[in-house]
C-alpha cells in the first residue's frame, strides 16, 4: 500500500520566506476540508538550533545542489504506517519527498559539520499547530518598518491567547512552547521506514 499524497504543489498557498505560514496553511487545508484523520498524521516541524544557523540543501533560494543557512525552517511531515513524506514548498526536491530522500538530500549527515550547525527539530502535531501558533510577522520587518520580504496577502495568524508566539516555536529549548524537540538521530529513528 502506498502513502497517500495530501497535496500537489500547485494547489498550495505559498509565500516565499514565510515557511511557518505555508505549513500552517497546509494544516488548515486539511482541517477545512474535513480531512481530520489526515490532520492527525501530520507534524509541523520547526528546524533550528541555539546558534540560529542551520544548513539545508536543495532550497529554491539557492542553486540546485547548493545549500543555504537559515535561522530556522519549517516543513510538514506526514506519517503513515506505509511510510512518511515531507512537504517543503521551498525545496527543489519532489513535492512531496519521501522522508529518507529528503533527509539524505536536504538535511544530510551532520558528522562532518561543525557542532554549531547541528540541527534540532521541534515536532508539533498539526492540530496543535493550528490551535496554538500565532505570528504578527514582525520578524520580517526592518528597523524602519519596511518589509524584508513581501508578506502573505491574507491576515496575520493569531489565536485567542496570542498575536505572536513564533519565537516559542523556533526555540529548541524543550521547556519552551509546545511539541517535542529532538536531534537528527532521534528524528530519523522516529520516521525512517
Amino acid at each position: 500500500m502506498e502513502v497517500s499524497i495530501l497535496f500537489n504543489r500547485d494547489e498550495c498557498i505559498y509565500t516565499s520566506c514565510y515557511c511557518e505560514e505555508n505549513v500552517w496553511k497546509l494544516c488548515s487545508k486539511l482541517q477545512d476540508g474535513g480531512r481530520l484523520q489526515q490532520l492527525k498524521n501530520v507534524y509541523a516541524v520547526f528546524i533550528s538550533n541555539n546558534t540560529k544557523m542551520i544548513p539545508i540543501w536543495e532550497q529554491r533560494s539557492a542553486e540546485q545542489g547548493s545549500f543555504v543557512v537559515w535561522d530556522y525552517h519549517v516543513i510538514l511531515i506526514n506519517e503513515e504506517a506505509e511510510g512518511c513524506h515531507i512537504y517543503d514548498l521551498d525545496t527543489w526536491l519532489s513535492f512531496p519527498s519521501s522522508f529518507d530522500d529528503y533527509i539524505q538530500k536536504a538535511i544530510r549527515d551532520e558528522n562532518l559539520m561543525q557542532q554549531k550547525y547541528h540541527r534540532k527539530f521541534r515536532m508539533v502535531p498539526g492540530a496543535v499547530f493550528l490551535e496554538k501558533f500565532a505570528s504578527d510577522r514582525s520578524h520580517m520587518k526592518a528597523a524602519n518598518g519596511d518589509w524584508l520580504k513581501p508578506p502573505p496577502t491574507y491576515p496575520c495568524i493569531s489565536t485567542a491567547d496570542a498575536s505572536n508566539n513564533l519565537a516559542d516555536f523556533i526555540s529548541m529549548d524543550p521547556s519552551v512552547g509546545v511539541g517535542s524537540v529532538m536531534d537528527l538521530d532521534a528524528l530519523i529513528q522516529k520516521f525512517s521506514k
Side-chain angles (χ1 to χ4, degrees), residues 37-98:
Q37 186 56 48
Q38 290 174 321
L39 182 61
K40 290 179 183 178
N41 295 338
V42 300
Y43 294 87
V45 181
F46 283 74
I47 309 167
S48 192
N49 60 23
N50 293 338
T51 61
K52 303 288 187 273
M53 295 187 303
I54 55 153
I56 301 183
W57 282 257
E58 302 298 339
Q59 295 286 282
R60 290 174 173 230
S61 60
E63 291 187 28
Q64 279 187 283
S66 187
F67 69 91
V68 295
V69 177
W70 297 116
D71 52 347
Y72 72 96
H73 189 52
V74 186
I75 58 175
L76 182 116
I77 293 182
N78 178 34
E79 179 183 30
E80 296 183 17
E82 298 80 18
C84 299
H85 275 107
I86 292 182
Y87 292 81
D88 180 354
L89 286 159
D90 292 300
T91 188
W92 289 108
L93 301 174
S94 63
F95 184 89
S97 295
S98 72

Side-chain angles (χ1 to χ4, degrees), residues 131-187:
E131 179 186 349
K132 300 291 186 183
F133 176 77
S135 174
D136 63 7
R137 302 178 184 148
S138 57
H139 67 293
M140 293 300 290
K141 285 195 170 184
N144 67 2
D146 289 345
W147 291 105
L148 300 172
K149 296 288 182 177
T153 56
Y154 53 83
C156 293
I157 298 167
S158 62
T159 70
D161 299 326
S163 63
N164 190 33
N165 58 14
L166 175 60
D168 291 348
F169 286 86
I170 296 170
S171 171
M172 292 298 130
D173 179 345
S175 68
V176 173
V178 296
S180 58
V181 176
M182 59 186 69
D183 63 15
L184 180 57
D185 289 339
L187 184 82

